Amino acid sequence: MAKKAVPDDIIDEVLERFESVGLVDDAQFASLWVEGQQRRMKSGRVLRQELRRKGVDDDVISAALQETSDDADYTAALAFAAKRARSMTGLAPEVRYRRLAGALARRGFSSGLCHRVVHEVTDEGEEFDDPDRG
């Protein structure tokens, strides 16, 4: 509204009215955002960043993320990797591992979780644990 040169007092009045009827609720928005984005298989770290960019307060974000289960990142990463792995069956094991781990990392999952999930999904992760491997 400010971009449309609406006076500040009118903006305040409209926002107060929206809040009073429940149309502006950052906590509900954050909670719904987290719920929806988890189905899109993103990490909690990425969800936090997205909500910050949308102007949601850190306390509200933390509360919304606390509502998720402790293993939400693991569950989301495993679902994503399993889905993605189905299309990679013809690839060499090291290529499949690299692509899956990279895709998980781009969704904000930690390297340890990426390794664990790729190992579980492909049953090939032990090939990449060998310290003698160059």
Side-chain angles (χ1 to χ4, degrees):
M1 287 189 278
K3 290 180 183 178
K4 301 277 186 183
V6 175
D8 288 341
D9 58 328
I10 302 292
I11 293 173
D12 291 339
E13 186 178 322
V14 169
L15 288 176
E16 284 178 29
R17 176 70 178 139
F18 281 0
E19 285 180 25
S20 71
V21 297
L23 293 176
V24 178
D25 185 351
D26 283 351
Q28 183 182 16
F29 171 76
S31 180
L32 291 172
W33 184 264
V34 167
E35 181 183 316
Q37 295 302 316
Q38 280 185 325
R39 280 187 245 128
R40 291 188 182 104
M41 299 168 266
K42 293 182 180 179
S43 71
R45 188 177 71 194
V46 167
L47 297 176
R48 182 177 296 278
Q49 290 171 346
E50 289 175 349
L51 287 167
R52 275 190 187 137
R53 273 184 270 160
K54 294 187 176 303
V56 178
D57 186 60
D58 282 336
D59 293 336
V60 174
I61 295 170
S62 294
L65 289 173
Q66 277 184 325
E67 292 174 11
T68 63
S69 66
D70 291 336
D71 63 345
D73 275 1
Y74 170 75
T75 303
L78 188 62
F80 177 78
K83 181 178 179 180
R84 187 62 70 93
R86 288 191 290 267
S87 66
M88 297 183 182
T89 55
L91 298 175
E94 62 274 2
V95 174
R96 185 173 37 245
Y97 180 89
R98 187 179 66 242
R99 287 187 183 177
L100 281 172
L104 288 164
R106 285 187 295 279
R107 288 184 170 266
F109 298 106
S110 69
S111 60
L113 182 59
C114 292
H115 175 75
R116 176 182 168 197
V117 166
V118 171
H119 172 70
E120 289 178 21
V121 168
T122 64
D123 293 326
E124 298 163 349
E126 66 276 355
E127 295 176 23
F128 304 102
D129 291 336
D130 185 5
D132 296 332
R133 183 181 152 101

